[in-house]
Amino acid sequence: DAGVTQSPTHLIKTRGQQVTLRCSPKSGHDTVSWYQQALGQGPQFIFQYYEEEERQRGNFPDRFSGHQFPNYSSELNVNALLLGDSALYLCASSPTGGSKYTQYFGPGTRLTVL
Amino acid sequence: QKEVEQDPGPLSVPEGAIVSLNCTYSNSAFQYFMWYRQYSRKGPELLMYTYSSGNKEDGRFTAQVDKSSKYISLFIRDSQPSDSATYLCAMSLAGGTSYGKLTFGQGTILTVHP
């Protein structure tokens, strides 16, 4: 049973560009959450998707947006990249019918903004 | 002041030692408490979760929650070099609009040396 998968593994962009990160949840999971983890820090909640809608949002600007598809996979889009957006972006999924706090993380996408 | 405080360490112990990892928090509404282990360049791995106060044991790991003191702990018995990783505490509300949003501590870097 494959766990949470994310693509790409690494990404290098320049300031002002746009980026799209992708996530496939574990089988049997329907809720996807996205987190940003800066070096040496704990993950910070960006938003959560359930039933193809953004259900919750953390303290991130509108440059961060997302989408969930009918197969529960999800995308994170970041526009007008800033140097401070360089981080590990983590996707986590929660089981269908289970508690939303039970989250299983993927390996992350490391984004570097130059 | 951060909602969740965790000493970043680093913490270095000899193999076989008992390790104590701790977090304090300020939001008394937190009801779910989780511990994650994160190896270098990997996503966080869910170790244990508890609801409200009390203890929970799983093999060499014991999680404790003291809601009156707003303090949670993770104990690792008979520590092994393979336990060397960053340990993250995380918390969530029980319901409402922020249910399922995990708030993380900074993480404690642990090294177990042979």
Side-chain angles (χ1 to χ4, degrees):
Chain A
D1 175 30
V4 178
T5 59
Q6 293 186 243
S7 63
T9 305
H10 296 91
L11 207 50
I12 299 175
K13 293 285 187 179
T14 57
R15 280 179 299 175
Q17 285 190 310
Q18 179 264 344
V19 68
T20 296
L21 311 181
R22 295 176 176 82
C23 170
S24 291
K26 277 173 66 77
S27 176
H29 289 200
D30 63 355
T31 300
V32 172
S33 304
W34 286 92
Y35 293 80
Q36 180 195 67
Q37 186 176 25
L39 197 62
Q41 301 296 317
Q44 280 198 292
F45 178 80
I46 302 175
F47 41 53
Q48 184 179 83
Y49 277 85
Y50 172 63
E51 293 183 332
E52 301 180 48
E53 289 190 11
E54 182 182 296
R55 298 293 178 168
Q56 298 184 57
R57 189 178 184 90
N59 190 24
F60 279 80
D62 291 345
R63 298 187 297 109
F64 290 77
S65 63
H67 188 78
Q68 185 178 36
F69 299 94
N71 67 352
Y72 309 124
S73 67
S74 177
E75 288 182 349
L76 165 65
N77 301 291
V78 187
N79 295 321
L81 285 167
L82 303 174
L83 296 179
D85 294 332
S86 295
L88 181 67
Y89 287 85
L90 295 162
C91 168
S93 68
S94 302
T96 303
S99 298
K100 297 289 186 274
Y101 72 87
T102 310
Q103 299 182 11
Y104 297 86
F105 284 80
T109 294
R110 186 161 298 280
L111 172 65
T112 302
V113 182
L114 302 176
Chain B
Q1 182 188 6
K2 293 181 179 179
E3 274 192 296
V4 180
E5 298 278 359
Q6 185 176 10
D7 186 341
L11 185 61
S12 181
V13 301
E15 183 176 354
I18 297 175
V19 176
S20 173
L21 304 166
N22 311 294
C23 289
T24 59
Y25 61 95
S26 57
N27 189 346
S28 58
F30 285 136
Q31 294 279 12
Y32 293 102
F33 303 90
M34 282 68 71
W35 285 96
Y36 285 84
R37 177 175 63 195
Q38 186 173 26
Y39 292 114
S40 180
R41 300 190 174 276
K42 302 288 187 182
E45 171 194 7
L46 180 62
L47 282 176
M48 299 183 71
Y49 61 87
T50 54
Y51 172 70
S52 195
S53 286
N55 296 356
K56 186 173 184 178
E57 188 173 321
D58 184 2
R60 296 185 296 112
F61 298 89
T62 299
Q64 288 185 352
V65 175
D66 182 350
K67 292 197 69 184
S68 62
S69 301
K70 299 193 187 71
Y71 188 88
I72 70 170
S73 301
L74 177 71
F75 297 95
I76 307 175
R77 291 183 299 280
D78 188 25
S79 56
Q80 302 295 311
S82 59
D83 294 328
S84 299
T86 297
Y87 288 80
L88 296 154
C89 63
M91 306 174 189
S92 175
L93 303 180
T97 57
S98 292
Y99 173 44
K101 168 191 171 184
L102 299 186
T103 301
F104 282 85
Q106 182 178 352
T108 299
I109 299 171
L110 171 67
T111 301
V112 181
H113 52 86

